[in-house]
Amino acid sequence: MACIPLSSLLFLSQKPETLSFGCRVSSDKPSFGGSFKFGTIKKGQRGDRLLSCVCRAASSVTFRDLDADDFRHPLDKQNTVLLRTIPGLTELGKALLGTVTEQIMLLENIGTSVLVSENQLPELHQLMSEAAEILNTEAPDLYIRQSPVPNAYTLAIRGKKPFVVVHTSLVELLTRKELQAVLAHELGHLKCDHGVWLTFANILTLGAYAVPGLGGLIAQSLEEQLFRWLRAAELTCDRAALLVAQDPKIVISVLMKLAGGCPSMADQLNVDAFLEQARSYDKASSSPMGWYIRNAQTRQLSHPLPVLRAREIDDWSRSHDYKALLNRARQLKAVNNV
């Protein structure tokens, strides 16, 4: 849901010989995950909001038997299959994503962050633990990193426990329910085994340009397919956020603030108006010319457009599949309570 800090990738590109990865990153085109900008918590509200959001697991429905395919988006399934059929992709990934590269990324992130635990920022630790419990998955390590850029991202390192990094500016800007939805989104990547694929896609897309002779050709041919998969994976993880938030307006509010929120006007934003905007986008892009512009607009993005994500999560919140998941969880909870 968010991108690896540029410093990590630049550090990789500066290494000679075995780590000679070219870097082609821009701030408006993250290679995986995404960045968030949320409404601020007004003075005097932080404590009340925190108390109202922490300890929600007891009252929320938990999905004790949840499987990743229960909520995986169809496009995620389809594009994962297509990605795995690309000849030589796995071998190329092993060459690019080696032990040294993984270790650099690991140390660069945890060396500049604070590890959250029961004794360190315990409220954030509880938000992550509750989200993991609801999704029936193991909670990864959670790190808070000082940064003025609101961001959150997941890293899955082979043979090591995966971890999520959240920037301090993100914690300051969002409500606790929104923060937990973001954590749930990151957990969705891990629940669906996106973590390693996300890291792999990131290094492959950025590093393949430095492979002598074939680098540019390889990257150009894979980039569109990788980004198509990344966009589909984001739709799946938005569903994970909804399963934890259990209120589509919370997830849609996150997407709305991502599109155009700012602290001074956060309390004036309207979810229903944003959904109407999403429908108007669908209508405006339904013509042949609109369809062409829409595809050109999204082809090189690692994330779907916020209005499209909002419409997708609104549709899924009304679907039989989502309601069936909730009903199944409620029935299991009732049986366990007898």
Side-chain angles (χ1 to χ4, degrees):
M1 200 170 199
C3 57
I4 292 178
L6 181 59
S7 59
S8 300
L9 299 168
L10 289 174
F11 182 59
L12 293 176
S13 67
Q14 292 168 358
K15 289 296 174 182
E17 299 176 355
T18 58
L19 295 177
S20 56
F21 298 122
C23 192
R24 173 179 75 81
V25 185
S26 61
S27 60
D28 60 347
K29 185 180 174 184
S31 49
F32 77 85
S35 38
F36 286 89
K37 296 180 180 179
F38 301 89
T40 188
I41 298 174
K42 295 181 178 180
K43 291 182 178 180
Q45 292 183 336
R46 179 178 299 277
D48 293 339
R49 290 195 181 191
L50 186 57
L51 290 174
S52 67
C53 185
V54 174
C55 302
R56 293 174 58 237
S59 59
S60 299
V61 175
T62 58
F63 301 90
R64 301 294 184 188
D65 57 349
L66 184 69
D67 184 79
D69 285 337
D70 290 336
F71 65 94
R72 196 188 301 270
H73 195 281
L75 290 176
D76 185 4
K77 296 178 183 178
Q78 174 185 332
N79 284 286
T80 297
V81 171
L82 292 174
L83 201 62
R84 287 174 175 167
T85 61
I86 298 175
L89 186 63
T90 302
E91 291 72 18
L92 182 60
K94 289 179 180 178
L96 293 175
L97 190 58
T99 303
V100 177
T101 303
E102 292 176 334
Q103 193 70 9
I104 290 172
M105 296 174 71
L106 174 68
L107 293 177
E108 201 280 334
N109 281 284
I110 68 174
T112 59
S113 311
V114 173
L115 175 62
V116 175
S117 67
E118 293 181 353
N119 300 319
Q120 183 75 275
L121 302 172
E123 293 151 348
L124 296 181
H125 179 265
Q126 187 169 356
L127 288 177
M128 174 63 88
S129 298
E130 289 174 358
E133 180 184 353
I134 292 171
L135 290 176
N136 189 35
T137 191
E138 183 180 355
D141 287 337
L142 174 62
Y143 289 88
I144 300 298
R145 181 175 184 174
Q146 186 67 236
S147 175
V149 180
N151 199 6
Y153 56 91
T154 298
L155 281 175
I157 308 299
R158 289 181 299 181
K160 298 182 183 296
K161 187 176 182 179
F163 62 92
V164 172
V165 178
V166 176
H167 288 179
T168 51
S169 54
L170 183 61
V171 177
E172 288 298 317
L173 289 173
L174 37 96
T175 68
R176 289 304 185 256
K177 289 183 179 181
E178 290 171 342
L179 176 59
Q180 191 169 53
V182 171
L183 295 177
H185 179 107
E186 299 303 321
L187 286 170
H189 283 306
L190 298 173
K191 180 81 174 179
C192 296
D193 292 326
H194 289 160
V196 174
W197 277 87
L198 284 167
T199 307
F200 166 73
N202 184 76
I203 297 298
L204 178 61
T205 304
L206 294 170
Y209 282 88
V211 178
L214 297 178
L217 178 63
I218 291 171
Q220 289 172 19
S221 64
L222 290 179
E223 182 180 274
E224 185 172 339
Q225 296 179 69
L226 285 167
F227 280 177
R228 187 184 298 118
W229 173 79
L230 288 171
R231 292 192 296 269
E234 290 301 306
L235 296 178
T236 291
C237 295
D238 286 345
R239 292 181 173 190
L242 176 59
L243 289 175
V244 169
Q246 296 174 21
D247 180 352
K249 288 193 172 184
I250 293 175
V251 182
I252 295 169
S253 178
V254 168
L255 299 168
M256 174 178 58
K257 292 172 182 177
L258 169 62
C262 66
S264 62
M265 296 188 292
D267 58 349
Q268 300 180 48
L269 290 169
N270 186 303
V271 168
D272 293 328
F274 189 65
L275 282 174
E276 186 59 34
Q277 178 184 334
R279 297 184 189 102
S280 69
Y281 181 87
D282 282 338
K283 183 177 180 180
S285 61
S286 61
S287 66
M289 179 58 71
W291 179 87
Y292 176 81
I293 295 173
R294 173 174 170 170
N295 281 299
Q297 185 179 20
T298 60
R299 186 175 296 115
Q300 296 301 314
L301 297 177
S302 63
H303 286 57
L305 296 174
V307 290
L308 298 181
R309 293 172 69 179
R311 190 253 297 151
E312 281 279 342
I313 207 64
D314 182 57
D315 289 346
W316 195 63
S317 72
R318 303 170 188 270
S319 70
H320 170 76
D321 290 343
Y322 174 67
K323 293 176 181 177
L325 279 175
L326 286 177
N327 289 334
R328 190 177 77 188
R330 291 189 184 110
Q331 291 171 4
L332 185 59
K333 182 178 180 179
V335 171
N336 291 334
N337 288 339
V338 172

